[in-house]
Amino acid sequence: MEPLDVAVLALRFGMVLLLYAFILGVLRAARTSLRAAEVEPVRTAARAVASESPSQRSTGPGVLILRVVEPGGSGLQPGETFQLHGEAIVGRAATADVQVPDSTVSNRHARFQPRSDGWTFQDLGSTNGSQVDGATASGPVNLRPGAQVALGRVVLVVDSHDKA
């Protein structure tokens, strides 16, 4: 075997080793990002204790109580409640005031906002849209007790609210 042949063979082995090292690096990065996506979402302070009965809840001025009716794929439980004490963004992002970890819910999906005459709901340009009582929410919608709010596959109902 000539010295040139040995050098070419060594370069080939070196390239194969570099290729395997690159593939291993890509797989490690993918595994790390997938594990980060599997982390249990942080429960926010806006969520009320689900075990409270409606008679035990204290609803002061400006409090909106939302109850999960259909959790979709979010991991929320039917009957779980959220208490909103002021403007709140609902979405999948960790920065959302109320986190709903469902693939059909956008990072910043919608806004609940107190007004002088009650509460309003507004879709924030989400991918899958929102509905209030079956009608597409294309702008601010006034909420009433009993209203059903659909965020993708997740359905919430307004248990009660006090005027702000």
Side-chain angles (χ1 to χ4, degrees):
M1 205 174 219
E2 293 184 31
L4 183 59
D5 291 336
V6 173
V8 169
L9 185 61
L11 285 174
R12 284 183 178 175
F13 279 125
M15 291 298 290
V16 169
L17 286 175
L18 282 175
L19 179 62
Y20 278 113
F22 175 76
I23 291 172
L24 183 63
V26 168
L27 290 175
R28 280 186 178 170
R31 186 181 71 193
T32 302
S33 69
L34 287 175
R35 281 190 179 167
E38 292 174 359
V39 172
E40 176 68 22
V42 176
R43 303 295 185 188
T44 64
R47 184 168 301 156
V49 177
S51 62
E52 289 181 357
S53 69
S55 62
Q56 293 173 316
R57 294 183 190 126
S58 62
T59 55
V63 176
L64 178 69
I65 298 175
L66 300 172
R67 181 173 36 88
V68 176
V69 176
E70 177 56 50
S74 67
L76 299 172
Q77 299 299 315
E80 193 169 353
T81 59
F82 300 90
Q83 283 189 5
L84 308 181
H85 298 275
E87 181 177 325
I89 301 295
V90 177
R92 215 176 50 222
T95 57
D97 299 309
V98 177
Q99 292 179 353
V100 181
D102 183 85
S103 62
T104 62
V105 175
S106 296
N107 285 328
R108 289 177 45 87
H109 196 99
R111 172 186 297 124
F112 288 90
Q113 190 167 25
R115 299 282 189 196
S116 60
D117 60 343
W119 283 80
T120 61
F121 170 84
Q122 183 173 8
D123 185 272
L124 297 176
S126 64
T127 302
N128 293 311
S130 302
Q131 295 182 336
V132 176
D133 290 330
T136 300
S138 57
V141 177
N142 290 324
L143 295 175
R144 59 166 181 72
Q148 286 199 349
V149 178
L151 311 167
R153 295 180 302 199
V154 178
V155 180
L156 307 171
V157 67
V158 176
D159 265 356
S160 65
H161 70 61
D162 291 331
K163 293 181 179 179

